[in-house]
Amino acid sequence: MADHPPIEAYDSLDSTNAEARRRAEAGETGPVWITAALQTAGRGRRGRAWSTQRGNLAATLLTVTDAPAAEAAQLSFVAALAACDLADACLGAGAARLKWPNDVLIHGRKAVGILVESGARGDGRLWLAVGIGVNLAHAPEDVERPASAFADFMQGPPPQPVAALEVMAPAFERWRRAWVTQGFAPIAQAWTERAMGLGERCEARLPSRTLSGVAEGMDSDGALRLRLDDGGLERVTAGDVFFGGV
Ligand code: BTN
């Protein structure tokens, strides 16, 4: 039996997340990985665009779940761990670090972005589109902070996108099974072991305000615990976090 859901590979799509949404809204349940060699309208977090080129991986897992939306969102950390495993396989163990909530950085520069979208189905379950963009060959230049690509740190060429997905999809499945059978605790622990910036000062840009303080760690539901300068504790559940220049 395959150790991951089937992979459907396209040459070009507007966005693999958009394709997953269209299929979900038409009633498809998956699980299926949708990948495209080229995305013409890649989507990023918080309404941003995700620009990518041929040679990079753009993939989305379409699936459904009985879990409530807040819990299902924890799959973004599952995705971050799977992408981290891919980075370990290509670059050596420990090369990649995770930045809350789910960016994967190599030598302090973002190389992977994750976007989870979801919606209600008629049967009461949720559909989920877990989108993962990996800069295998090229780092985009039109971004707020300098990004990186796996190729920048490899002696030989980076893997082809579908070959990379064939490594990442089983890793995703292993972490997903741990999450289903044991809950969020093993995911939070693995994430914490790979995290950057814990114990350090950071700026947290939330949807409506910006806070600064020390990133203390991840709560049992995935929120970031931020110790404010006045000693108060803020649980950050949405936003971007920046450590120094990163
Ligand atoms: C981020 O802003 O960091 C998230 C980027 C997510 C990009 C991936 S590429 C595959 C999938 N399809 C999309 O349109 N977006 C996600």
Side-chain angles (χ1 to χ4, degrees):
M1 193 175 74
D3 55 1
H4 60 80
I7 293 171
E8 288 188 23
Y10 289 78
D11 183 58
S12 175
L13 280 176
D14 50 354
S15 146
T16 55
N17 268 39
E19 173 65 13
R21 174 184 287 268
R22 284 190 288 271
R23 291 184 182 206
E25 289 176 349
E28 203 177 309
T29 56
V32 61
W33 281 99
I34 300 163
T35 184
L38 187 69
Q39 284 193 135
T40 54
R43 306 211 283 241
R45 290 176 56 232
R46 308 185 72 194
R48 291 182 288 241
W50 177 260
S51 80
T52 189
Q53 294 181 44
R54 282 188 191 275
N56 288 346
L57 174 63
T60 299
L61 176 69
L62 166 63
T63 189
V64 297
T65 180
D66 293 324
E71 211 176 294
Q74 293 170 355
L75 276 178
S76 76
F77 298 103
V78 167
L81 290 171
C84 207
D85 286 352
L86 173 64
D88 283 353
C90 296
L91 307 169
R97 310 301 295 171
L98 299 176
K99 182 166 79 80
W100 191 92
N102 50 35
D103 288 344
V104 180
L105 279 67
I106 301 168
H107 293 292
R109 291 174 172 224
K110 178 165 166 172
V112 177
I114 291 165
L115 174 67
V116 178
E117 298 179 84
S118 64
R121 289 169 41 86
D123 64 4
R125 293 187 292 169
L126 281 180
W127 61 260
L128 292 165
V130 182
I132 309 178
V134 183
N135 299 334
L136 294 169
H138 313 281
E141 282 168 10
D142 56 338
V143 284
E144 195 185 352
R145 308 262 163 162
S148 68
F150 286 18
D152 302 341
F153 308 103
M154 293 177 72
Q155 302 295 330
Q160 292 297 310
V162 173
L165 181 55
E166 281 165 352
V167 173
M168 193 173 70
F172 185 97
E173 195 51 28
R174 285 192 295 276
W175 290 113
R176 191 194 67 80
R177 282 198 195 122
W179 177 71
V180 168
T181 56
Q182 300 165 56
F184 190 56
I187 306 305
Q189 185 185 335
W191 184 93
T192 301
E193 285 163 3
R194 292 161 178 76
M196 63 159 290
L198 299 185
E200 291 176 21
R201 288 196 65 76
C202 68
E203 183 180 278
R205 293 190 199 153
L206 316 189
S208 57
R209 63 209 164 114
T210 297
L211 300 170
S212 53
V214 172
E216 284 194 343
M218 187 194 275
D219 252 350
S220 57
D221 60 354
L224 179 72
R225 283 197 311 277
L226 184 68
R227 184 65 61 182
L228 303 176
D229 295 338
D230 67 4
L233 186 67
E234 188 84 26
R235 275 170 39 81
V236 178
T237 55
D240 287 317
V241 169
F242 298 97
F243 296 90
V246 178

